[in-house]
């Protein structure tokens, strides 16, 4: 009897799903790039009419051909699935029209989305936090090692065939025994601390708006930014870009850092005043930097930061693993499914 009842409820639910899919199938969803993972696309295609740009939303193509293509495809869309950090502008929202319900950005950061404008229009916004924290944290640890052990200089030696072999040449710094300061102990910051568990780090400190309950288990001490800067051997930036965090690393804050300090940035390029960073690295008032993010991106190949030996730069690959990008795509797609079925967003920025 119980089984029959459960089977009946399941049938009802399936029926509901099928009818809601039927109802949403005529809604248009625009995917902004031709390289959105299949896993996410499948979910969207099962539920909606998917319009997908045939261009990539990255690099030159993203700025030229794809911009035009998106403007052509966008009118009448109910959802935008946004891949890349191109601006969600007023012009774009106007072109989409009043039926637009949600922008689902396939990124944790949403500084490229005009939040006040979306709010004013009552358009929902979702992002993809958490699923990318492990991958971004791995890159942060990679940058810590890369900058501390002078990968940039050492790789140049390998490519030139001129190795400086000696007992006291190209010496780097240890993570072992160091003080690691995390600016922003959110998902990514916490994942960095967890990943460093085997490195015999001496002490973890962190800063942010308030103490985090998770910090206790991580053995991380809450301190002010000032305190963190003055005592850390590694300063890891894992905060979003906001008016408050913009240029938080500048001439003044760099001057507080130790001479052996290594700055790591996996947040956004604009957290750092790059001219001030250049001077600090050039004058060796700090030891090195490891950046996954810069301003602009791509960084021009003749940019002065690239002339420095004590910097290790990656081209914003924090979340770039097969599994993570697929997870981000599925999360973005499911946020759209929920939004267009009147259900709460899974990872809302603007619910
Ligand atoms: C994000 O999602 O914000 C990361 O920077 C990867 O793009």
């Amino acid at each position: 009897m119980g089984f029959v009842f459960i089977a009946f409820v399941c049938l009802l639910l399936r029926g509901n799903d099928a009818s809601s899919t039927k109802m949403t199938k005529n809604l248009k969803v625009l995917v902004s790039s031709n390289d959105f993972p299949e896993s996410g696309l499948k979910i969207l295609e099962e539920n909606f009419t998917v319009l997908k740009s045939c261009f990539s939303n990255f690099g030159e193509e993203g700025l030229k051909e794809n911009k035009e293509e998106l403007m052509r495809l966008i009118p009448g869309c109910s959802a935008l699935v946004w891949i890349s950090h191109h601006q969600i502008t007023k012009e774009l929202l106007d072109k989409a029209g009043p039926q637009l319900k949600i922008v689902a950005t396939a990124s944790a950061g949403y500084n490229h989305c005009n939040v006040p404008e979306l709010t004013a229009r009552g358009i929902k916004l979702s992002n993809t936090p958490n699923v990318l924290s492990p991958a971004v944290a791995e890159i942060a640890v990679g940058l810590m090692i890369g900058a501390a052990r002078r990968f940039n200089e050492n790789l140049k030696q390998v490519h030139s065939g001129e190795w400086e072999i000696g007992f006291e040449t190209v010496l780097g710094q240890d993570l072992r025994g160091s003080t690691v300061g995390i600016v922003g102990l959110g998902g990514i910051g916490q994942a960095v601390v967890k990943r460093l568990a085997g490195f015999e780090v001496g002490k973890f400190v962190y800063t942010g708006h308030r103490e985090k309950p998770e910090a206790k288990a991580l053995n991380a001490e809450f301190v002010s930014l000032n305190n963190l800067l003055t005592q850390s051997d590694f300063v890891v930036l894992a905060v979003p870009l906001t008016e408050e965090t913009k240029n938080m690393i500048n001439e003044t804050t760099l001057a507080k850092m130790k001479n052996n300090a290594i700055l790591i940035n996996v947040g956004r390029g604009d957290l750092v005043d790059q001219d001030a960073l250049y001077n600090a690295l050039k004058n060796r008032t700090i030891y090195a930097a490891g950046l996954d993010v810069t301003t602009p991106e791509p960084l021009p190949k003749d940019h002065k930061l690239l002339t420095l030996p004590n910097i290790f730069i990656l081209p914003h690959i924090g979340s770039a693993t097969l599994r993570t990008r697929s997870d981000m795509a599925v999360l973005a797609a499911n946020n759209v499914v929920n939004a267009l079925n009147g259900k709460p967003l899974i990872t809302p920025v603007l619910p």
Side-chain angles (χ1 to χ4, degrees):
M1 185 62 191
F3 171 77
V4 173
F5 177 72
I6 291 169
F8 177 68
V9 172
C10 287
L11 262 177
L12 265 184
L13 288 176
R14 278 193 54 193
N16 269 347
D17 274 1
S19 63
S20 64
T21 302
K22 231 179 179 175
M23 276 162 62
T24 56
K25 202 61 187 151
N26 60 340
L27 298 179
K28 288 196 289 179
V29 173
L30 176 59
V31 175
S32 75
S33 189
N34 63 6
D35 54 359
F36 189 61
E38 237 351 274
S39 50
L41 211 51
K42 190 164 168 277
I43 295 170
L44 294 173
E45 281 168 348
E46 274 166 13
N47 288 279
F48 312 110
T49 301
V50 178
L51 307 180
K52 190 178 75 169
S53 171
C54 58
F55 297 105
S56 162
N57 209 11
F58 293 88
E60 289 291 299
E61 189 174 311
L63 290 170
K64 291 196 189 112
E65 289 97 328
N66 202 28
K67 205 168 171 208
E68 284 165 25
E69 169 84 342
L70 292 178
M71 283 301 192
R72 191 177 68 75
L73 294 174
I74 207 168
C77 284
S78 297
L80 305 181
V81 178
W82 210 248
I83 307 136
S84 93
H85 301 130
H86 284 319
Q87 301 293 321
I88 296 281
T89 57
K90 201 167 173 300
E91 180 201 8
L92 205 103
L93 298 174
D94 284 343
K95 191 84 182 171
Q99 74 302 317
L100 183 64
K101 296 275 178 312
I102 175 166
V103 175
T105 180
S107 61
Y110 51 87
N111 51 292
H112 54 293
C113 305
N114 188 334
V115 172
E117 194 58 36
L118 290 169
T119 311
R121 294 173 189 232
I123 298 170
K124 295 175 193 291
L125 174 64
S126 65
N127 65 343
T128 58
N130 309 326
V131 289
L132 48 65
S133 299
V136 177
E138 282 171 11
I139 281 297
V141 174
L143 286 168
M144 291 168 93
I145 298 171
R149 301 300 295 273
R150 302 167 64 170
F151 276 15
N152 185 13
E153 289 159 87
N154 285 318
L155 280 170
K156 279 196 181 120
Q157 289 188 32
V158 175
H159 288 289
S160 70
E162 289 165 22
W163 295 20
E164 269 182 57
I165 300 172
F167 206 61
E168 288 229 293
T169 52
V170 220
L171 302 186
Q173 295 202 62
D174 291 282
L175 263 157
R176 180 168 53 117
S178 67
T179 295
V180 173
I182 311 280
V183 181
L185 197 67
I188 293 171
Q190 290 173 32
V192 172
V193 177
K194 284 183 194 153
R195 269 145 195 82
L196 288 175
F199 283 81
E200 298 174 33
V201 166
K203 187 177 173 189
F204 288 105
V205 294
Y206 74 101
T207 193
H209 281 138
R210 63 194 74 82
E211 288 195 42
K212 294 272 179 163
E214 298 88 350
K216 201 157 179 259
L218 298 172
N219 223 352
E221 184 192 336
F222 183 65
V223 294
S224 67
L225 176 63
N226 204 33
N227 186 311
L228 181 145
L229 294 172
T230 51
Q231 67 166 312
S232 298
D233 302 301
F234 291 85
V235 173
V236 181
L237 304 181
V239 279
L241 176 66
T242 62
E243 277 312 308
E244 185 192 351
T245 59
K246 190 168 184 191
N247 281 345
M248 69 186 304
I249 298 299
N250 51 44
E251 199 182 334
T252 314
T253 44
L254 281 161
K256 293 181 177 163
M257 289 168 65
K258 290 160 74 170
N259 290 143
N260 71 308
I262 294 169
L263 177 74
I264 304 299
N265 188 4
V266 290
R268 285 287 179 268
D270 280 339
L271 298 176
V272 177
D273 172 345
Q274 290 182 169
D275 287 333
L277 178 64
Y278 173 82
N279 292 336
L281 291 169
K282 178 98 182 144
N283 303 327
R284 307 265 169 179
T285 61
I286 69 167
Y287 183 78
L291 314 177
D292 186 41
V293 285
T294 57
T295 303
E297 291 178 3
L299 197 64
K301 64 176 194 270
D302 56 355
H303 194 281
K304 65 181 174 181
L305 280 179
L306 295 171
T307 63
L308 295 167
N310 49 348
I311 195 162
F312 183 53
I313 302 184
L314 294 174
H316 202 153
I317 55 164
S319 63
T321 71
L322 275 174
R323 178 177 170 182
T324 302
R325 288 281 159 89
S326 171
D327 290 349
M328 291 162 76
V330 168
L331 181 53
N334 281 327
N335 271 314
V336 171
V337 171
N338 279 15
L340 298 188
N341 282 294
K343 294 186 185 155
L345 299 182
I346 306 160
T347 45
V349 176
L350 297 175

